[in-house]
Amino acid sequence: MICKAGDKLVVNTSNRHLTLKWSDLEHYRGERGKRGAKLPRGFQRVESVVVEKS
């Protein structure tokens, strides 16, 4: 995993950003062979991802 419990994941697009808390990430995580949920509309073309350590 990229981040630890308590960290925040910031998803950046060309003109917006979305901050996901650790508890929010479970919704987007998928099991082996399965996909997780898609990111919200407007955040599907990700330019960068940043982990904010707590």
Side-chain angles (χ1 to χ4, degrees):
M1 224 182 216
I2 296 173
C3 54
K4 298 178 183 175
D7 293 347
K8 295 180 183 176
L9 192 67
V10 181
V11 179
N12 295 306
T13 62
S14 59
N15 57 357
R16 297 171 67 186
H17 71 276
L18 173 67
T19 303
L20 298 170
K21 292 186 246 173
W22 178 257
S23 57
D24 299 335
L25 293 177
E26 285 299 317
H27 178 70
Y28 298 105
R29 189 171 160 242
E31 300 284 325
R32 179 184 168 154
K34 296 182 183 177
R35 286 187 178 183
K38 288 184 176 181
L39 289 171
R41 187 178 177 109
F43 292 100
Q44 301 209 350
R45 291 191 176 173
V46 176
E47 290 188 356
S48 67
V49 177
V50 178
V51 176
E52 289 183 354
K53 302 289 183 181
S54 57

